[in-house]
Amino acid sequence: MTINFLQEIEKRGFISDQTDKENLSKLFAEKAPVKSYIGFDCTAESLHVGSLVQIMILRWLQKSGNKPIVLMGGGTTKVGDPSGKDESRKMLDDEGIKHNMKSIKKIFTQFVEFEDEFDANSNKAFMVNNDDWLGDINYIEFLRDYGKHFSVNRMLTMESVKLRLERESHLSFLEFNYMILQAYDFVELNKNYDCRVQIGGSDQWGNIVNGIELNRRVGGEENFGITTPLLTTASGAKMGKSEKGAVWLNIDMLSAYDYWQFWRNTEDADVIKFLKLFTELDLPEIGKLAVLEGADINKAKIILANEATKLCHGEKAAIEAEKTAQKVFEQGGTGDELPVFEIEKSRLEEGIAAFTALVESGLADSNGAARRLIKGGGAKVNDIKIKSDSQLVSSSDLNPEGAIKLSAGKKRHALLKAG
């Protein structure tokens, strides 16, 4: 059962690199449940779909009888991971980190089942906070015990450091310490929870190897690392972003309908890849969808949207999102789950410029973008094309339900209501 974990995630495209593949396979074959961890810093109130690859791996770990450990970076968030960054992150205070952590925790419970007390023999997920051990570190003792194992010469060759140095971007000494702290996390987890595997994005390869080596140097068990590919769409866009901004996983930051629409609007070339990564459909079933072409590929996109939304927000939310989409696109209705933006009643009675309405409803990023959308014929009010950017949107446009439907192209819609 445990060997199936590696087989499954490899077939689905989750693996970029792994250390000592032969012995890693033996570990999963002989020592169930294998404890494996993935770390998540608390830099925002929500994770976005760019983190979904790692979250799905947590789910596959649990489904295959292994034990996922979710490490919340309450301590490392105070430092800031320089990996893949051109500049330093904005520093958060303790209250901001605690707020973000509480908000992020909600996401994981949608994907994996947790236990409150650590049970080494169960496959239930366990959550830890690295501030519990990093917060009380004695700096001098830490440097004497662990800092001596790190070569500055080698640290300077790490991609996260090289990127900043090559671009002559500021890299603080605080951030430079991040890789040491992450390596020490692995030591703590190995010592206290028998955690043998660290998993992260491919930009974390150097940090993961550091953790494996530090464990070896301080007498820990043989440990292993797995990295996942950093995903981009077929057109080269970074996963986690849409035309409207970040695709957040917390429902209070992005509606289930907008989340469903993100997956429904997947590029044709990405559908099968995303079905393998972000759903639990059997691979043979996905193989049958791979032969769809032309307009039929939309069937696969709807399946992707339904399955991905069901995992993140529940089956009911997925069903409602699809119904809303059908109502909006096929019947020309407004839909109950479209994003709603309120505007002052007095302003709506006077009327506001159409381009302003598009910006305030989130359908355009700027006045210029809104004007270009109108000029190109892609903007509508209640399914009627906006003729010019001087056209007004007013209370006379309210439908019987008390809303105005705005559209940007065929796939993006919002409702304006008087507040």
Side-chain angles (χ1 to χ4, degrees), residues 128-261:
V128 296
N129 178 1
N130 64 10
D131 196 45
D132 290 344
W133 54 82
L134 296 180
D136 295 325
I137 280 178
N138 180 300
Y139 188 58
I140 299 298
E141 288 183 10
F142 182 76
L143 289 180
R144 284 171 60 91
D145 294 341
Y146 300 100
K148 64 184 181 183
H149 298 298
F150 288 83
S151 163
V152 171
N153 306 64
R154 186 181 177 193
M155 291 169 75
L156 290 171
T157 67
M158 295 293 178
E159 285 299 319
S160 58
V161 175
K162 282 173 60 180
L163 175 69
R164 295 280 189 89
L165 296 179
E166 288 172 358
R167 299 184 181 183
E168 299 184 354
S169 300
H170 175 71
L171 176 70
S172 70
F173 181 68
L174 180 67
E175 294 172 285
F176 191 61
N177 280 272
Y178 189 95
M179 64 183 78
I180 300 177
L181 298 178
Q182 182 171 329
Y184 181 65
D185 284 343
F186 206 172
V187 171
E188 282 284 333
L189 293 175
N190 179 238
K191 178 175 64 177
N192 296 318
Y193 303 104
D194 188 31
C195 181
R196 303 287 301 280
V197 182
Q198 180 182 176
I199 304 170
S202 58
D203 60 336
Q204 296 296 315
W205 178 254
N207 291 340
I208 291 173
V209 170
N210 277 335
I212 293 171
E213 291 188 358
L214 183 60
N215 262 302
R216 178 177 55 80
R217 289 175 181 270
V218 299
E221 293 182 272
E222 182 184 9
N223 290 328
F224 305 89
I226 300 172
T227 60
T228 60
L230 295 180
L231 289 186
T232 57
T233 64
S235 61
K238 189 175 181 180
M239 279 292 290
K241 298 285 186 179
S242 72
E243 291 180 11
K244 297 174 71 173
V247 184
W248 301 109
L249 302 183
N250 277 47
I251 198 166
D252 53 352
M253 294 180 67
L254 186 77
S255 71
Y257 174 79
D258 281 334
Y259 188 77
W260 189 93
Q261 280 293 334

Side-chain angles (χ1 to χ4, degrees), residues 48-53 55-56 111 231-233 238-242 247-249 254-279 297-313 318 321 325 329 411:
H48 56 61
V49 296
S51 299
L52 201 52
V53 167
I55 294 174
M56 288 300 295
F111 291 87
L231 289 186
T232 57
T233 64
K238 189 175 181 180
M239 279 292 290
K241 298 285 186 179
S242 72
V247 184
W248 301 109
L249 302 183
L254 186 77
S255 71
Y257 174 79
D258 281 334
Y259 188 77
W260 189 93
Q261 280 293 334
F262 168 76
W263 297 108
R264 171 62 180 83
N265 294 334
T266 294
E267 297 177 44
D268 291 2
D270 288 325
V271 177
I272 300 305
K273 177 172 70 174
F274 289 177
L275 281 166
K276 291 178 180 178
L277 291 170
F278 303 119
T279 80
I297 197 69
N298 288 328
K299 297 176 183 177
K301 292 182 182 182
I302 291 172
I303 292 172
L304 169 63
N306 285 339
E307 293 297 318
T309 304
K310 182 168 66 176
L311 284 174
C312 191
H313 298 305
F329 302 136
K411 298 180 179 180

Side-chain angles (χ1 to χ4, degrees), residues 355 358 364-379 389:
F355 69 85
L358 290 167
D365 294 332
S366 64
N367 290 342
R371 286 189 169 102
R372 288 192 293 273
L373 183 67
I374 293 169
K375 186 176 180 180
D389 58 13

Side-chain angles (χ1 to χ4, degrees), residues 346-360:
S346 58
R347 289 184 64 205
L348 204 55
E349 288 175 347
E350 293 176 5
I352 61 173
F355 69 85
T356 301
L358 290 167
V359 172
E360 294 192 12

